Amino acid sequence: MNQFYTATDHFVLLPGLLLAFFGCAILIVDFLILPEARHKKWLLIFVTIGLAFTGASLYRQHEYLTTQGFEELTAFNGALTVDGFSLFFNWVFLATSFIVALISYKFLDIEGEHHGEYYGLILLAQSGMFFLASGTDLVTIFIGLELMAVTFYVLVGFLRSDKRSNEAAMKYLLLGAFSSGFLAYGFSLMYGLAGSTRLRDIAAAFSSRDPWDPIAFLAIATTAVGLLFKISAAPFHMWAPDTYEGAPTTVTAFLSVGSKAASFAFLLRIFLGPLASNRVVWEPILIGVALLSMTVGNLAAISQTNVKRLLAYSSISHAGYILLGLIAGNEAGLKGVAVYLMVYTFMNLGAFLVIIALRRKNILGEDVEDMAGLMHTNPGYAVLMLVFMLSLAGIPPTAGFIGKYFIFLSLIQTGHYILAVAATLYVAIAIYYYLRIVRSMFIADAADDPVPLASSFGMRLALGITAALTLGIGIYPEPFLRIAQTSLIR
């Protein structure tokens, strides 16, 4: 038995196993032990316990690598790898899941859909993210991707009586399956060229062939299509606005940061691993996609009146900025990608938290007009939203500025001056539509009879965490830069 499942295999796999175990166990707990509504708070406690065990296992992996002096630890004959890259992203996923679980309790109560399945799906989605960040085999990665995707298909349509939620889930499912088909085809070509599903074997096979080999090019192109859909980069972004708007706002928040970070981890593993020797082929493709994403995302966001759709187009533009760090390809660029994904997690989650607070009975709270006069009725929420908007725009001293700084620095260092200028111009456009929300909160008149906003201990704690990190990373970035440095793929 030890020949097929060793202690090392178990040690590497443990975080993913714990997430899957608690994700399944919560379904049984909810059905047998906590069926009554007054006991639903124990679901949040159960999820927190599961995430605590997962965090402890990640910490043990970090300590083992540090004390033993290893750069990585592989399992299952190279199918899974624990290294600085996987640990960095798994900590980001853990923080995201915890914050989303905190804010979901009050939201689900308002929607009347408080079920244990919701929390189980959050943990199963994170389990899929674990395999995306730690997988070094095409089969492992694809299983992780589909586990994450299927859970999000269900979560997006979780509000069964809401037609918008049902429609968003259907669109996301159909387009997601379409992109997975492209990805599977690209993977099959890689396997055909290398005779192996291990990323290292595929890298050796690609490095020994001409970069413009037709089969290799087709593998790169089809894989890129599938990956660019997952990060909602233009022109493969068409699912994002409708899905973001129709999904439950807590799910939109989780999808916008958790799924994006996991998909970028996947993308970095592929493009900096097996396809690294073919940079001459995929770099021009990514340059075009990055420019198109920033163009479509920023220009489309200008005319949006629904804040969730506005943030969806904003997410598309941010995907373009993150791709610029990969295009630069130097140490500053890869550090910029890691920092950007880390700060984007907290500032974007924070923005969605304020939208969730605006959701009350019979009031969606998703339009820019719903924020009118927020400074006069709820100044705390208005100030927090201001911080998150400034950070998304990249204004110092917020965390968003640090992410954009390293991206722009890497472009200048590598001689991509035109891309740096274009990205800077798009920042100016982004400032305009982010400040539209700020103007509505601080200048527009409030409603004659304002309704108290939704609030809970979990909501206040989540807002405190996201706001503190959004400002803290911007004011004192050094510790976070050291963390990001450990994520670089060597």
Side-chain angles (χ1 to χ4, degrees), residues 97-236:
S97 298
F98 176 65
I99 293 172
V100 170
L102 278 179
I103 62 179
S104 294
Y105 182 81
K106 183 69 174 179
F107 181 83
L108 293 176
D109 267 352
I110 294 173
E111 296 291 347
E113 294 284 356
H114 213 145
H115 307 292
E117 296 92 335
Y118 177 90
Y119 297 101
L121 288 168
I122 288 178
L123 294 178
L124 290 174
Q126 190 188 340
S127 181
M129 296 174 192
F130 166 81
F131 289 104
L132 281 177
S134 305
T136 45
D137 181 279
L138 294 182
V139 176
T140 305
I141 292 173
F142 193 79
I143 290 173
L145 178 68
E146 289 308 299
L147 174 58
M148 181 187 74
V150 169
T151 55
F152 273 117
Y153 297 152
V154 180
L155 284 170
V156 169
F158 198 78
L159 302 181
R160 294 166 294 176
S161 60
D162 188 339
K163 291 182 179 179
R164 293 194 315 162
S165 181
N166 298 335
E167 181 183 348
M170 183 60 67
K171 290 180 179 178
Y172 187 34
L173 170 63
L174 293 176
L175 293 174
F178 187 66
S179 70
S180 295
F182 273 98
L183 201 58
Y185 185 66
F187 281 6
S188 67
L189 291 174
M190 290 184 187
Y191 173 72
L193 290 173
S196 171
T197 56
R198 297 289 187 268
L199 297 190
R200 289 181 177 176
D201 296 336
I202 296 171
F206 270 79
S207 63
S208 64
R209 302 177 72 94
D210 178 55
W212 293 101
D213 178 86
I215 303 299
F217 178 81
L218 184 59
I220 294 170
T222 52
T223 301
V225 168
L227 286 172
L228 294 172
F229 173 92
K230 301 301 181 184
I231 64 171
S232 66
F236 312 103

Side-chain angles (χ1 to χ4, degrees), residues 313-326:
Y313 283 110
S314 162
S315 175
I316 295 165
S317 69
H318 284 291
Y321 287 117
I322 298 170
L323 285 174
L324 293 177
L326 177 58

